[in-house]
Amino acid sequence: MPDVLDPAPYDALLLLSFGGPEGPDDVVPFLENVTRGRGIPRERLKEVGQHYFLFGGVSPINAQNRTLLDALRKDFAEHGLDLPVYWGNRNWAPYLTDTLREMVADGRRRILVFATSAYASYSGCRQYRENLADALAALDAEGLQLPKVDKLRHYFNHPGFVEPMIEGVLESLADLPEDVRDGAHLAFSTHSVPGAAADTSGPVEQHGDGGAYVRQHLDVARLIADAVRERTGVDHPWRLVYQSRSGAPHIPWLEPDICDHLEQLHGEGVPAVVMAPIGFVSDHMEVLYDLDTEAKAKAEELGLPVRRSATVGADPRFAAAVRDLVTERAAAERGRPVTPCALGALGASHDVCPVGCCPARAPKPAVAGADSPYA
C-alpha cells in the first residue's frame, strides 16, 4: 500500500497550542494576551499570575510542546511520512500569525492543524479556529498568498490518546499503599467551562445538558475505568470532576470541583483517590498547580492518600496517533475510503466543523468549518 503514508494534498502540519510564559517578566503580558478584550485591570492580573510566580514565572507548556514537536518529527521520519511540522501558539511566542507567515514564506499551501485540545468546546476548538481566521486575515492584509487550512478531528477517543492514560491510572493505583489500593476511587478531571458553553459544544444535534464536551469526557472516563477493571479485576468507582474554574462567581460552571470532590469522598470514608487529568494533553500549569499543588494540599489536609496519573505528553503512542490522524485525513481528501480509528460509544468526530458547532457568544469568522470565509 504505497500511499498509506502519503500526506498529499497537505504539505505541512501545524502544532497549535495555548502558549505560556517562560519567565517572571512574561507572566502579566501573557495574561493580558489571554484576557484581551475583557477589561481586567493589570493589578488583578498580577494576582491571577501568582501561581505562575510560584514556579519562577515559567509555565511548562512551551517546553512540553517542544518535546512533542520533536516526538512528531521523529515519528514521521521513522515511518516515512514526509511532512514538515511547525509550531504556533495562541497567547505567547511562537505566535500563530508569525508561524503562518513563516509557512507561507516556505511555500506551504495546504496546511493541516493539530490543536493540543482533544475535545469539542468553544475554547478547545472554535476559538482556535477563530485564531486561525484572524491570522489569515492579517496575512491577507499584508498581501500574502493565503494557504488552505484544515484542522484534524477531535482525538479524545483515539487509542493513542486513551491507552497512555489507562497505563497512567494503573501505575498510580499500583503506587498506592496496598491496604487502600482496591478501595481507591478514580477522579477523572478536566477543565471546567461555563454550563452554557458546555451545553452548546459540538454539532447542533449534540447540544443539550453538557453537550458534546461532557459526553466525550464521560466516554473516555468509562473506557479507562473499564480497562482498569479488566486488567486488575477491581471495579473502582469513578466520577468526572472539574478544575481550573476562572469565571465570575454568578455564572454557573461545570461541577463538582476536584477539591470539593475530595472532601466529599473523605467524608464518605473513601480510603484513597487517583486523580486522572483526562482533559489535558500535557502536564502544564493547570495540572501542575490545580492538581499537584492545590488538590494534593487538600488531600494532605484531609489525610486522604492520593496519586495523580500522567497525561499523554509526548508518549510515542500519542505521536503515532497524530501520524494516523494525518494520513487518515489526507486519504479522505484524496477520495480514498477511510476507516477512522476510535474507541468507545461515540465513534470518530467530524473532519469539518458544521455550522453552529461550539458557537461563540459574539459570532466571529472561523476557518476549517462549513462556514469558513477561507475556502
Side-chain angles (χ1 to χ4, degrees):
M1 298 174 62
D3 67 341
V4 168
L5 297 185
D6 184 358
Y10 299 105
D11 54 21
L13 178 70
L14 169 62
L15 172 65
L16 178 57
S17 194
F18 193 81
E22 299 198 77
D25 293 341
D26 296 343
V27 172
V28 172
F30 163 73
L31 292 173
E32 287 174 335
N33 287 342
V34 174
T35 61
R36 184 177 290 113
R38 301 182 199 173
I40 300 176
R42 189 176 179 86
E43 290 306 312
R44 173 58 182 152
L45 294 180
K46 290 181 181 178
E47 294 175 16
V48 172
Q50 286 306 309
H51 58 284
Y52 287 101
F53 293 124
L54 287 174
F55 298 92
V58 179
S59 167
I61 192 169
N62 276 359
Q64 290 162 3
N65 278 324
R66 292 185 185 101
T67 303
L68 178 58
L69 193 67
D70 290 343
L72 292 176
R73 288 169 174 164
K74 179 175 182 287
D75 178 272
F76 287 11
E78 289 178 347
H79 291 86
L81 180 60
D82 185 15
L83 192 71
V85 187
Y86 295 74
W87 168 37
N89 287 326
R90 172 190 292 172
N91 297 302
W92 202 248
Y95 288 104
L96 170 60
T97 302
D98 295 336
T99 301
L100 279 179
R101 187 181 295 111
E102 176 189 358
M103 297 175 82
V104 169
D106 289 346
R108 311 305 175 191
R109 296 293 177 258
R110 287 293 303 270
I111 297 171
L112 260 180
V113 176
F114 173 77
T116 56
S117 178
Y119 301 85
S121 69
Y122 171 73
S123 58
C125 183
R126 174 84 192 190
Q127 191 171 10
Y128 281 116
R129 295 173 49 224
E130 292 175 353
N131 298 148
L132 286 162
D134 289 342
L136 289 176
L139 299 189
D140 191 30
E142 297 171 12
L144 298 178
Q145 181 178 351
L146 299 187
K148 186 179 188 310
V149 177
D150 292 327
K151 180 178 174 294
L152 289 170
R153 65 178 174 90
H154 302 302
Y155 49 88
F156 64 93
N157 55 3
H158 194 287
F161 184 65
V162 176
E163 184 59 38
M165 293 192 292
I166 294 170
E167 190 172 282
V169 171
L170 290 169
E171 290 175 355
S172 292
L173 285 168
D175 191 49
L176 283 168
E178 188 174 358
D179 60 332
V180 299
R181 187 179 304 148
D182 286 354
H185 281 227
L186 310 179
F188 295 107
S189 186
T190 190
H191 204 301
S192 186
V193 299
D199 293 346
T200 56
S201 57
V204 172
E205 62 271 17
Q206 296 177 19
H207 292 180
D209 188 16
Y213 185 73
V214 171
R215 279 195 289 276
Q216 289 172 1
H217 280 89
L218 286 173
D219 203 42
V220 172
R222 289 190 192 98
L223 283 168
I224 297 172
D226 288 349
V228 168
R229 183 182 64 251
E230 291 167 4
R231 299 181 198 187
T232 65
V234 180
D235 190 6
H236 292 273
W238 62 271
R239 185 167 183 181
L240 178 62
V241 299
Y242 303 92
Q243 63 176 87
S244 312
R245 173 182 173 140
S246 60
H250 67 281
I251 298 176
W253 282 52
L254 295 178
E255 297 177 334
D257 176 78
I258 177 64
C259 290
D260 294 339
H261 185 58
L262 293 177
E263 285 192 350
Q264 179 184 346
L265 292 179
H266 174 67
E268 294 172 355
V270 169
V273 178
V274 169
M275 302 182 295
I278 63 172
F280 304 91
V281 167
S282 66
D283 288 2
H284 56 64
M285 186 58 73
E286 287 170 316
V287 176
L288 192 66
Y289 183 78
D290 297 330
L291 293 183
D292 290 355
T293 304
E294 283 196 330
K296 284 188 176 179
K298 172 58 69 175
E300 185 175 349
E301 172 192 317
L302 297 169
L304 178 65
V306 298
R307 298 293 185 272
R308 196 269 291 174
S309 65
T311 54
V312 298
D315 189 290
R317 291 165 291 187
F318 186 44
V322 178
R323 168 170 41 88
D324 180 63
L325 291 167
V326 167
T327 55
E328 168 198 302
R329 180 62 183 274
E333 289 293 310
R334 296 196 306 272
R336 298 295 302 272
V338 172
T339 303
C341 193
L343 302 174
L346 300 181
S349 295
H350 48 263
D351 280 336
V352 178
C353 290
V355 175
C357 192
C358 303
R361 283 179 295 177
K364 289 184 62 179
V367 305
D371 54 355
S372 172
Y374 300 102

